Amino acid sequence: MEQEIEVLMQGYQFRKLYEKKYECFMEQYDLRKIDVEILIYLHFCGEHNIASDIQKLGLFTKGHISQSLERLVHAQLVYTKHDRKDKRVVHLFLSEKAEPIIKEAMQVKSEIFEQVFAGVTAEERKTLIEVARKVWNNIAQELE
């Protein structure tokens, strides 16, 4: 397999770039990478706003998600609400305090993607997305 594909699939370089770009931001708000990702996820998730929905992404362990949510609730960036039908289900919502943080995080994320995809055409991006979906599905099927 080509070395570039191997490096891309492991994501090490992207993680290093991500951490470098988010370092000051995370320090400023006393957040960790998982905290930022959960805030962004909750911003876009709609009705899929319970911890198990976050876990289904396969990016973080159940324990890490639980610890992050504790920090986010303590920081008053996220609040919880029990489901009306099933009191065991806890829905997660962003507080108003989280909005400026998410706006800034999205700006940083946008800058990262602009840098990463510099010189990549729209057609190439489309092809990459299609291939990534196929690879993602293949991995998911193999892990089932």
Side-chain angles (χ1 to χ4, degrees):
M1 185 178 294
E2 305 244 354
Q3 181 182 2
E4 293 84 358
I5 293 173
E6 186 72 30
V7 169
L8 185 62
M9 289 182 69
Q10 290 185 18
Y12 177 72
Q13 287 180 308
F14 183 77
R15 283 194 306 266
K16 279 181 66 173
L17 174 64
Y18 184 97
E19 289 166 6
K20 178 184 173 188
K21 295 292 184 179
Y22 270 105
E23 187 175 33
C24 290
F25 171 80
M26 291 188 301
E27 263 183 42
Q28 177 184 351
Y29 292 107
D30 192 28
L31 296 171
R32 297 180 184 164
K33 178 184 175 192
I34 186 173
D35 302 334
V36 175
E37 290 301 321
I38 288 175
L39 290 173
I40 291 171
Y41 173 82
L42 291 174
H43 181 71
F44 290 106
C45 71
E47 62 186 37
H48 302 285
N49 62 348
I50 60 176
S52 64
D53 292 326
I54 298 168
Q55 188 179 358
K56 287 176 189 171
L57 296 174
L59 301 174
F60 307 107
T61 66
K62 186 177 181 179
H64 286 124
I65 293 167
S66 177
Q67 290 173 354
S68 176
L69 289 172
E70 281 184 36
R71 283 191 302 275
L72 293 171
V73 168
H74 184 261
Q76 298 177 338
L77 298 173
V78 171
Y79 65 94
T80 62
K81 210 174 193 180
H82 287 277
D83 191 88
R84 284 187 235 147
K85 296 177 183 174
D86 186 348
K87 296 296 180 193
R88 297 172 296 176
V89 175
V90 178
H91 294 276
L92 306 164
F93 299 95
L94 295 170
S95 70
E96 286 183 29
K97 186 177 176 181
E99 291 304 320
I101 295 171
I102 292 167
K103 184 177 180 181
E104 192 172 337
M106 294 300 296
Q107 180 62 38
V108 172
K109 193 170 214 150
S110 176
E111 290 170 11
I112 291 169
F113 279 93
E114 282 180 34
Q115 291 172 338
V116 169
F117 287 104
V120 178
T121 67
E123 186 63 33
E124 290 170 328
R125 282 186 190 200
K126 183 180 175 186
T127 301
L128 178 61
I129 290 168
E130 290 170 4
V131 171
R133 280 194 183 119
K134 289 177 182 179
V135 170
W136 180 279
N137 289 333
N138 291 343
I139 292 170
Q141 284 178 340
E142 193 62 33
L143 290 174
E144 285 180 354

